[in-house]
């Protein structure tokens, strides 16, 4: 397993990229709207992992709610798994609270599923299975 990316909630990608890209020196290699999650994302590789900047595309986006409550910050940690269905089945068996019982399509066509923060010490956990 490895960390696929860290999701960071921002009010706007343009403003956020001034720090992460211009000042820190990471490169934004991919920007995409994920309709399903009502977010626009920017992906910035960092070692074998990435920073995923998230901007809400509507007022009822989960990111809008997060920004209202916390004003920004780390929104989720995404762990890469080989078999997302097997990982979900194991988590369920162990009593974890799943937000997604079935994987859905995330950024770049990956299969993703979220695990509720109440099962992961307050951290929203995203499972990611890359599609080859
Ligand atoms: Zn993510």
């Amino acid at each position: 397993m490895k960390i696929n990316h860290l999701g960071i909630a921002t009010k706007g990608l343009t403003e956020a990229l001034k720090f992460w890209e211009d000042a820190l020196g990471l490169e934004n290699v991919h920007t995409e709207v994920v309709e399903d999650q009502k977010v626009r994302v920017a992906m910035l590789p960092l070692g074998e992992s990435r920073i995923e900047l998230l901007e809400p595309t509507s007022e009822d986006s989960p990111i809008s709610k997060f920004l209202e409550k916390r004003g920004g910050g780390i929104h989720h940690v995404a762990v890469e798994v080989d078999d997302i269905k097997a990982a979900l089945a194991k988590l369920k068996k162990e009593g974890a609270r799943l937000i997604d019982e079935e994987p859905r399509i995330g950024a770049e066509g990956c299969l993703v599923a979220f695990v509720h923060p109440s099962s992961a010490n307050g951290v929203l956990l995203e499972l990611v299975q890359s599609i080859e």
Side-chain angles (χ1 to χ4, degrees), residues 4-8 37 41 43 52 54 75-78 107 112 114 126 128:
N4 180 280
H5 63 266
L6 295 176
I8 297 179
Q37 292 164 46
V41 307
M43 288 291 192
E52 177 186 69
L54 303 147
H75 177 259
H76 63 269
V77 173
V112 304
F114 286 91
E126 178 183 8
V128 181

Side-chain angles (χ1 to χ4, degrees), residues 30-106:
H30 181 75
T31 306
E32 175 184 349
V33 172
V34 184
E35 299 285 356
D36 189 45
Q37 292 164 46
K38 296 176 179 162
V39 292
R40 198 159 74 95
V41 307
M43 288 291 192
L44 297 87
L46 180 58
E48 64 170 15
S49 180
R50 295 178 298 180
I51 297 288
E52 177 186 69
L53 301 175
L54 303 147
E55 171 193 278
T57 55
S58 84
E59 288 199 353
D60 62 342
S61 164
I63 299 302
S64 298
K65 286 166 204 156
F66 184 86
L67 289 169
E68 263 169 44
K69 261 198 257 174
R70 307 215 208 160
I74 293 187
H75 177 259
H76 63 269
V77 173
V79 171
E80 191 165 317
V81 295
D82 291 332
D83 183 343
I84 195 165
K85 287 199 171 181
L88 285 170
K90 172 128 186 352
L91 284 162
K92 194 174 179 181
K93 190 167 154 249
E94 300 289 341
R97 185 172 161 198
L98 305 179
I99 294 173
D100 300 305
E101 299 252 338
E102 290 292 325
R104 47 189 169 140
I105 307 292

